[in-house]
């Protein structure tokens, strides 16, 4: 899960997907990172923590890190919160950038529509609830699609 700061959107996405994966009894490794590195080492924004907590998801232990080119070697799938994040990822990863692994997260819900998860950083609390709802829906679809794929390969 990748956003700009790794303190608002992507830690919430990590927490939500981790929660759903655990509930589904799956053993995926979930992680998140940010492309700008301004907040490396910081805990998630207090409003992301609050919104997560309201849904039983504790992200307080997560710490921001910067996205690195090697993430393309470590992970099978990389979800970006927005198109500007993909541009940054391309700059950082250079020849390691792999288009087949990258998807805008909201395309899981609205395929091909390229909808961004809005950056709540500059705004008040309702923006964080909106982001939570978008990410919850997207993560639900990620699990649903993975289950359908598994069934097809059995
Ligand atoms: P995020 O939000 O990408 O959802 O973590 C942001 C947090 C901080 C900044 C930008 C976006 N910043 O520029 O400091």
């Amino acid at each position: 899960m990748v956003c700009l700061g790794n303190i608002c959107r992507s830690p919430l996405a990590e927490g939500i997907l981790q929660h759903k994966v655990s509930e589904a009894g799956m053993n995926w490794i979930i992680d998140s990172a940010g492309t700008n590195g301004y907040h490396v080492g910081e805990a998630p924004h207090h409003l992301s923590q609050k919104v997560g907590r309201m849904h039983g998801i504790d992200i307080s232990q997560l710490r921001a890190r910067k996205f690195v080119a090697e993430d393309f070697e470590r992970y099978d799938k990389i979800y970006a919160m927005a198109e500007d994040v993909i541009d940054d990822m391309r700059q950082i990863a250079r020849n390691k950038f792999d288009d087949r692994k990258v998807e805008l997260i909201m395309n899981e819900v609205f395929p091909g529509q390229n909808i961004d998860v809005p950056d709540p950083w500059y705004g008040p609390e309702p923006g964080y609830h909106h982001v939570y709802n978008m990410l919850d829906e997207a993560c639900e679809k990620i699990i649903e699609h993975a289950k359908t794929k598994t069934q097809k390969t059995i």
Side-chain angles (χ1 to χ4, degrees):
M1 298 297 188
V2 186
C3 63
L4 299 176
N6 194 207
I7 54 166
C8 298
R9 292 167 291 179
S10 61
L12 207 40
E14 178 182 345
I16 293 168
L17 189 60
Q18 184 65 65
H19 187 74
K20 290 184 189 294
V21 158
S22 303
E23 274 189 335
M26 293 149 86
N27 62 353
W28 293 355
I29 293 167
I30 321 287
D31 195 4
S32 65
T35 55
N36 73 20
Y38 296 161
H39 299 273
V40 167
E42 290 179 24
H45 190 281
H46 71 99
L47 289 173
S48 286
Q49 291 195 42
K50 178 180 176 181
V51 170
R53 214 164 38 238
M54 287 168 72
H55 295 273
I57 295 170
D58 179 7
I59 58 169
S60 62
Q61 299 307 309
L62 299 181
R63 293 296 175 265
R65 72 168 178 95
K66 194 170 190 296
F67 180 79
V68 291
E70 289 69 31
D71 284 319
F72 274 99
E73 291 161 356
R74 288 192 203 122
Y75 295 104
D76 301 317
K77 189 83 194 175
I78 301 179
Y79 286 105
M81 300 296 125
E83 297 216 73
D84 58 348
V85 173
I86 297 183
D87 295 340
D88 288 351
M89 282 163 54
R90 203 175 262 117
Q91 296 273 331
I92 293 167
R94 296 180 174 268
N95 63 348
K96 289 202 166 75
F97 187 89
D98 184 348
D99 209 36
R100 293 164 301 183
K101 290 190 174 182
V102 179
E103 185 62 276
L104 277 174
I105 191 166
M106 289 314 294
N107 277 347
E108 290 284 337
V109 186
F110 305 107
Q113 291 195 28
N114 297 341
I115 294 169
D116 286 352
V117 179
D119 187 350
W121 169 248
Y122 299 100
E125 183 168 332
Y128 289 78
H129 290 278
H130 181 56
V131 164
Y132 180 91
N133 291 335
M134 290 180 86
L135 293 176
D136 186 57
E137 200 178 359
C139 291
E140 197 62 41
K141 287 287 181 193
I142 290 171
I143 305 266
E144 200 179 297
H145 294 155
K147 281 184 178 165
T148 321
K149 259 187 222 157
T150 311
Q151 276 164 3
K152 276 184 190 153
T153 52
I154 287 172

